[in-house]
Amino acid sequence: MNLKAEQIQENWGTFISYIETYITGERKQKLLDFYNKYQERIMLMPAAHKKEYHNAFPGGYVEHVNRVIRCALKQHDLWDSEGVDTSTYTIEELVFSALNHDLGKMGDEENESYIPQTDKWRKEKLGEDYMFNTKVPFASVPDRGLFLLQSHGVQYTFNEMLAIQTHDGLYDEANKKYLFSYMPEQKPRTSLPFIIHQADLMAARIEFEREWLPKLRGEKNNLDNGGKNFTLDSNIKPKSSSSTKSKALGSIKSEGLKNMLDNL
């Protein structure tokens, strides 16, 4: 699976538009400043380090986050229609949580978490196109993401903290203290964490199926643009819907990143 340079640029415009559309107050500008500061790194990040996971290709992270936001908005409508008390969270909290749920994957301020794999055997035999950068001190993805937000002055609510912290659900043992309780007073008092988890699970499953089901059936996967998966939220107006490859390349300052995009 590869994204074209135009698709990467369009996805980034959609990503930024979610902030402009749904986030309010002082933190809106702080979020925009943060993401614009690290634009070159984040827009080309993979969502995982190996093919057996999901979206392990340049631009895969932003494409995944955009899908999680869309799925979260749809899950909100579903849960609301079935009678869940959606007054316990706001749509801004929902979008903020989905937007930043995997932020910790970017690494720290100086170093990215995923770097190109240098071990030919691991790349060819294990499907590891990327490897973890040992210059980055260990932290869980939710913990690092929350730290990055607070260290850049981006405030978040208790609901958002809980949703980001537990977005992997019970796949992460650390979340049992929040999600595995029989005492009513210890259970989450909002359904937001469950909605974000389901949205993330749905997005990852879609990305797995797109990458692997055709291969398992012996078919050639030609879904370079993901088909309907690139449908944008009706409330979002991307900045560059008619962007060209040259325009996408023109927004990149790093020569190394330009070469990477130019080869897509």
Side-chain angles (χ1 to χ4, degrees), residues 154-185:
V154 180
Q155 294 187 337
Y156 45 83
T157 67
F158 182 86
N159 278 351
E160 292 162 346
M161 180 276 293
L162 186 60
I164 292 172
Q165 191 75 57
T166 64
H167 75 266
D168 279 329
L170 290 174
Y171 287 100
D172 186 341
E173 289 283 327
N175 293 333
K176 281 189 173 182
K177 60 183 177 289
Y178 290 113
L179 305 178
F180 200 74
S181 173
Y182 298 105
M183 302 296 291
E185 61 271 19

Side-chain angles (χ1 to χ4, degrees), residues 34-239:
F34 172 82
Y35 279 111
N36 285 327
K37 179 179 180 180
Y38 295 103
Q39 173 181 348
E40 292 183 3
R41 187 199 304 188
I42 294 174
M43 74 186 297
L44 288 175
M45 277 170 50
H49 78 288
K50 63 186 300 182
K51 295 175 182 177
E52 282 73 13
Y53 298 156
H54 62 99
N55 276 25
F57 50 79
Y61 173 83
V62 172
E63 196 218 24
H64 170 70
V65 172
N66 286 348
R67 182 173 289 107
V68 172
I69 295 172
R70 292 198 304 272
C71 289
L73 290 167
K74 293 173 183 177
Q75 285 290 333
H76 162 78
D77 290 340
L78 174 61
W79 283 58
D80 183 61
S81 68
E82 289 297 327
V84 163
D85 183 1
T86 54
S87 70
T88 60
Y89 64 89
T90 67
I91 295 299
E92 179 172 349
E93 287 180 318
L94 180 142
V95 173
F96 183 95
S97 301
L99 181 83
N100 297 295
H101 79 282
D102 267 347
L103 177 59
K105 290 183 177 182
M106 72 164 271
D108 59 26
E109 288 86 347
E110 304 299 329
N111 304 286
E112 50 198 308
S113 285
Y114 301 131
I115 56 178
Q117 178 60 263
T118 58
D119 188 320
K120 183 178 179 182
W121 185 88
R122 296 190 71 87
K123 184 172 183 178
E124 294 180 353
K125 302 300 183 181
L126 302 180
E128 296 180 0
D129 289 336
Y130 299 86
M131 62 182 182
F132 293 105
N133 188 352
T134 56
K135 292 182 180 179
V136 180
F138 172 77
S140 70
V141 170
D143 287 346
R144 190 184 304 283
L146 291 168
F147 175 80
L148 285 167
L149 290 172
Q150 66 88 21
S151 65
H152 288 80
V154 180
Q155 294 187 337
Y156 45 83
T157 67
F158 182 86
N159 278 351
E160 292 162 346
M161 180 276 293
L162 186 60
I164 292 172
Q165 191 75 57
T166 64
H167 75 266
D168 279 329
L170 290 174
Y171 287 100
D172 186 341
E173 289 283 327
N175 293 333
K176 281 189 173 182
K177 60 183 177 289
Y178 290 113
L179 305 178
F180 200 74
S181 173
Y182 298 105
M183 302 296 291
E185 61 271 19
Q186 293 181 345
K187 291 179 180 292
R189 302 187 183 191
T190 173
S191 291
L192 182 61
F194 304 102
I195 292 173
I196 295 299
H197 171 55
Q198 288 195 355
D200 186 35
L201 188 66
M202 180 186 294
R205 178 64 193 184
I206 290 168
E207 291 152 10
F208 168 82
E209 290 192 359
R210 179 182 60 181
E211 177 76 21
W212 285 99
L213 289 191
K215 294 177 183 178
L216 294 173
R217 290 194 293 258
E219 303 170 2
K220 183 178 180 181
N221 187 350
N222 292 318
L223 296 177
D224 278 347
N225 64 1
K228 66 180 181 179
N229 295 323
F230 276 95
T231 302
L232 306 181
D233 188 282
S234 60
N235 294 321
I236 299 297
K237 297 180 180 179
K239 290 183 176 179

